[in-house]
């Protein structure tokens, strides 16, 4: 073959390979392709319609196949209309619960003919602004006038907060008080509580009740760091009656760290001067709704120590919770203490699988199709293993054996000689012992349908054979019918009559000299 002809054929084949199998008349572009926001903020993108064919006039509907956890995606205008609305705004609205990370969002544009294009954008979610949660313990305290009411103020930092917190008492007004220390600064926890975070805040609020009239007061403490301010609330009851016997309520420890489904123990000691009390003392304990408390007894006449067991329910969210412990004499509150339970929980990693479109049509004229696949995983990033189940014989496919979470994968389907019909298939993603699956449907149209001629012939032959056997069986059964018995009886009677006639004839004549003489009246 001449070298010039060989080059010509090579260029011709290369040109054919560059011709798309199925071209569309439009496309979409998204700007920008990357955005960075903090959890709770909104990222905005511009989606524009591009007409590849000047005569293109179909509406293009936009669909999002993936949204970051605890977030939503919306379009200002949908669908896009050529010549009318060719640009819209896509908003990715996150919340404070959206986990920090980088997310890929796939947007599909599909016109009224079913032609589709895909475009992706990346959103990086940063943690929310560092902040803190303020609390006060106990939530309710009763003292006699002239005593000092002591509260403990706690601050739980979140998202890396490490700044100082300045405290002040909002209510009650005109009250002598002091915070120790003020401001609160992060310190390491005592050695008896190694599980506490090192950024641990606490301060003691001491209120002098000498100038306060008996009654209930709302205690409002405000803590500020920069422009962020938060408040905590408690109730102080100032009693007019003189102080009763010097009864002490001792609780240890005052701070516990637990996780859901844990059982923790607190020692509660009621110390009565002289050892005994003429009137019963009642212990009451209050916990968050759904928590289980166990202690016995509840009434005391003498100095005693009680073990209080606290059960943290399954599914309790991470945070700080208060257990109120109060000692009463009748209906009069004598002492109160508060135990702080810091609940820490670790969420189990989760895997999710998304595939689109969920319905695929294969025909002889259009035997190929693609499926977009996306895997998300909340644990440490690693590759997911993909497998495809349920496709019938006659449909071949290619699938990426490994797919990294957050990256878009493609599955190619090809119709060869599958029969016409609707088929259900499943796509399964597995990683780190977890799996997720999604279903889709494959519709095969225009395939050759095999005519069941041979099967019909065999069925008719079997029916004829069974009919012949029934006819033979009926013939045998008729030989035993009543009519046949009657014919046999008639034949038997005829035989008897013939024998009787022969016997009668032999009795009517006698043989003499070898000649038989006929009876009288009988002619020769």
């Amino acid at each position: 073959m001449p070298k010039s002809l060989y080059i010509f054929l090579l260029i011709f084949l290369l040109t054919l390979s560059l011709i798309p199998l199925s071209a569309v008349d439009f496309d979409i572009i998204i700007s920008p392709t990357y955005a960075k926001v903090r959890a709770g903020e909104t990222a905005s993108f511009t989606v524009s319609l591009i007409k590849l064919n000047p005569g293109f006039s179909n509406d293009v509907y936009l669909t999002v196949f993936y949204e970051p956890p605890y977030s939503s995606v919306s379009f200002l205008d949908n669908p896009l209309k050529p010549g009318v609305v060719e640009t819209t705004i896509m908003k990715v609205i996150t919340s404070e619960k959206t986990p920090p990370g980088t997310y890929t969002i796939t947007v599909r544009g599909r016109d009224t003919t079913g032609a589709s294009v895909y475009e992706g954008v990346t959103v990086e979610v940063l943690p929310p602004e560092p902040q803190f949660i303020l609390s006060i313990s106990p939530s309710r305290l009763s003292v006699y006038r002239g005593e000092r009411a002591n509260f403990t103020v706690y601050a739980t930092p979140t998202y890396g907060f490490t700044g100082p917190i300045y405290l002040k008492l909002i209510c009650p007004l005109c009250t002598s008080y002091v915070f120790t220390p003020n401001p609160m600064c992060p310190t390491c926890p005592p050695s008896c509580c190694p599980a506490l975070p090192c950024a641990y805040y606490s301060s003691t609020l001491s209120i002098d009740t000498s100038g306060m009239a008996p009654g209930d007061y709302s205690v409002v403490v405000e803590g500020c760091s920069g422009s962020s301010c938060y408040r905590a609330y408690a109730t102080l009851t100032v009693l007019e009656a003189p102080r009763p016997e010097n009864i002490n309520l001792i609780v240890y420890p005052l701070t516990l760290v637990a996780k859901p489904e844990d059982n923790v123990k607190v020692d509660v000691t009621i110390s009565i001067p002289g050892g005994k009390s003429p009137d019963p003392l009642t212990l009451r304990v209050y916990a968050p709704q759904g928590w289980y408390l166990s202690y016995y007894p509840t009434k005391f006449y003498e100095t005693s120590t009680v073990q209080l067991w606290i059960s943290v329910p399954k599914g309790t969210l991470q945070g700080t919770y208060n257990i109120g412990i109060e000692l009463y004499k009748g209906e009069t509150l004598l002492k109160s203490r508060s135990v702080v339970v810091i609940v820490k929980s670790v969420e189990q990693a989760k895997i999710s699988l998304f595939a689109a479109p969920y319905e695929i049509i294969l025909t002889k004229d259009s035997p190929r199709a693609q499926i977009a696949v996306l895997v998300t995983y909340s644990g440490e990033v690693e590759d997911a293993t993909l497998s495809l189940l349920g496709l019938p014989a006659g449909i071949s496919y290619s699938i990426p054996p490994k797919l990294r979470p957050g990256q878009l994968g493609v599955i190619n389907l090809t119709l060869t000689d599958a029969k016409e019909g609707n088929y259900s298939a499943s796509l399964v993603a597995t990683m780190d012992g977890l799996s997720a699956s999604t279903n889709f449907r494959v519709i095969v149209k225009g395939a050759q349908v095999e005519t069941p001629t041979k099967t019909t012939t065999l069925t008719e032959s079997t029916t004829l054979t069974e009919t012949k056997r029934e006819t033979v069986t009926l013939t045998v059964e008729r030989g035993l019918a009543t009519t046949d018995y009657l014919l046999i009886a008639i034949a038997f009677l005829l035989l008897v009559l013939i024998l009787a006639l022969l016997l009668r004839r032999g009795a009517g004549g006698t043989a003499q000299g070898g000649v038989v003489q006929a009876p009288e009246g009988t002619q020769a």
Side-chain angles (χ1 to χ4, degrees):
M1 180 184 292
K3 185 176 180 181
S4 58
L5 181 59
Y6 177 83
I7 295 174
F8 173 79
L9 290 175
L10 182 62
I11 296 174
F12 178 77
L13 292 175
L14 181 62
T15 304
L16 289 179
S17 65
L18 296 177
I19 299 176
L21 295 177
S22 57
V24 293
D25 295 333
F26 70 97
D27 200 355
I28 58 172
I29 59 172
I30 304 178
S31 178
T33 59
Y34 169 84
K36 180 188 296 186
V37 295
R38 288 193 177 274
E41 297 178 347
T42 299
S44 298
F45 300 86
T46 300
V47 183
S48 301
L49 174 64
I50 304 299
K51 294 188 294 183
L52 303 179
N53 182 351
F56 179 75
S57 61
N58 296 333
D59 293 348
V60 177
Y61 292 83
L62 302 176
T63 304
V64 174
F65 289 110
Y66 174 71
E67 298 177 353
Y70 299 102
S71 64
S72 61
V73 180
S74 63
F75 295 96
L76 183 62
D77 293 294
N78 194 8
L80 297 177
K81 300 177 179 293
V84 180
V85 179
E86 297 186 351
T87 301
T88 186
I89 301 298
M90 179 180 72
K91 293 186 176 182
V92 181
I93 305 171
T94 66
S95 68
E96 291 187 356
K97 294 184 179 180
T98 302
T102 302
Y103 302 93
T104 300
I105 300 175
T106 301
V107 180
R108 182 189 71 188
R110 171 178 286 184
D111 69 358
T112 52
T113 66
S116 300
V117 294
Y118 297 86
E119 188 69 20
V121 296
T122 301
V123 178
E124 182 178 356
V125 180
L126 302 177
E129 289 287 352
Q131 57 185 352
F132 59 91
I133 301 173
L134 201 66
S135 61
I136 187 170
S137 178
S139 59
R140 184 181 181 90
L141 178 63
S142 297
V143 297
Y144 292 95
R145 184 177 181 179
E147 292 183 334
R148 297 195 71 87
N150 295 321
F151 295 89
T152 302
V153 180
Y154 297 95
T156 303
T158 60
Y159 303 108
F161 177 84
T162 57
I165 301 175
Y166 294 85
L167 302 172
K168 66 177 179 179
L169 182 65
I170 304 298
C171 291
L173 299 175
C174 304
T175 300
S176 175
Y177 68 92
V178 62
F179 286 99
T180 307
N182 192 13
M184 291 192 297
C185 294
T187 59
C188 287
S191 58
C192 62
C193 301
L196 291 176
C198 194
Y200 181 74
Y201 293 78
S202 67
S203 180
T204 300
L205 167 62
S206 182
I207 300 176
D208 184 4
T209 63
S210 301
M212 300 174 65
D216 292 334
Y217 294 87
S218 294
V219 179
V220 181
V221 177
E222 185 177 73
C224 294
S225 181
S227 60
S228 299
C229 295
Y230 301 92
R231 292 184 177 185
Y233 303 88
T235 301
L236 172 62
T237 301
V238 179
L239 304 175
E240 178 65 32
R243 183 179 179 181
E245 58 269 25
N246 190 22
I247 299 175
N248 290 323
L249 180 62
I250 304 171
V251 178
Y252 182 83
L254 291 176
T255 303
L256 295 169
V257 177
K259 60 180 181 296
E261 297 186 279
D262 272 358
N263 295 317
V264 292
K265 179 176 69 80
V266 175
D267 292 326
V268 180
T269 301
I270 296 93
S271 177
I272 304 175
K276 295 186 177 181
S277 172
D279 300 318
L281 304 179
T282 303
L283 185 66
R284 300 176 184 174
V285 184
Y286 304 93
Q289 184 177 2
W291 290 41
Y292 180 77
L293 301 174
S294 175
Y295 60 99
Y296 185 84
T298 59
K299 293 186 179 296
F300 306 90
Y301 290 87
E302 58 186 8
T303 297
S304 305
T305 298
V306 178
Q307 290 185 342
L308 169 63
W309 287 94
I310 304 169
S311 297
V312 183
K314 180 181 180 181
T316 302
L317 298 179
Q318 180 171 317
T320 302
Y321 300 84
N322 289 324
I323 306 295
I325 303 175
E326 298 177 347
L327 184 65
Y328 286 84
K329 182 178 181 180
E331 293 301 319
T332 302
L333 178 63
L334 301 181
K335 300 286 183 179
S336 65
R337 297 289 184 267
S338 180
V339 176
V340 176
V341 180
I342 301 175
V343 178
K344 293 184 174 294
S345 61
V346 180
E347 294 185 1
Q348 185 179 6
K350 297 180 180 178
I351 180 174
S352 300
L353 176 63
F354 304 89
Y358 69 91
E359 183 177 285
I360 299 166
I361 299 176
L362 298 176
T363 64
K364 284 187 174 181
D365 296 331
S366 181
R368 295 182 178 85
Q370 289 184 335
I371 302 175
V373 183
L374 185 67
V375 178
T376 63
Y377 185 58
S378 61
E380 296 183 2
V381 177
E382 58 181 79
D383 291 342
T385 302
L386 299 180
S387 58
L388 189 58
L389 307 173
L391 283 180
I395 297 180
S396 60
Y397 63 90
S398 63
I399 181 173
K402 298 286 186 179
L403 184 63
R404 200 160 187 81
Q407 294 183 351
L408 189 64
V410 176
I411 297 175
N412 296 295
L413 301 180
T414 303
L415 174 64
T416 54
D417 56 353
K419 296 181 180 180
E420 182 173 342
N422 295 349
Y423 303 94
S424 296
S426 298
L427 181 64
V428 182
T430 305
M431 61 188 306
D432 198 19
L434 301 176
S435 63
S437 63
T438 184
N439 298 327
F440 61 92
R441 185 170 60 175
V442 179
I443 301 175
V444 177
K445 293 184 177 180
Q448 184 67 29
V449 180
E450 187 175 338
T451 306
T453 306
K454 185 176 181 180
T455 303
T456 304
T457 304
L458 290 175
T459 303
E460 293 176 354
S461 176
T462 303
T463 304
L464 291 174
T465 301
E466 292 176 356
T467 305
K468 183 177 181 181
R469 288 178 181 176
E470 291 176 0
T471 305
V472 171
T473 303
L474 291 174
T475 303
V476 174
E477 290 177 356
R478 288 187 59 188
L480 301 178
T482 304
T483 306
D484 295 330
Y485 284 110
L486 183 58
L487 292 174
I488 294 172
I490 293 173
F492 181 74
L493 290 176
L494 291 175
L495 182 59
V496 172
L497 289 177
I498 292 171
L499 290 175
L501 291 175
L502 291 175
L503 291 175
R504 182 177 179 184
R505 182 176 181 182
T510 303
Q512 296 182 2
V515 178
V516 179
Q517 294 182 359
E520 295 182 356
T522 302
Q523 297 181 2

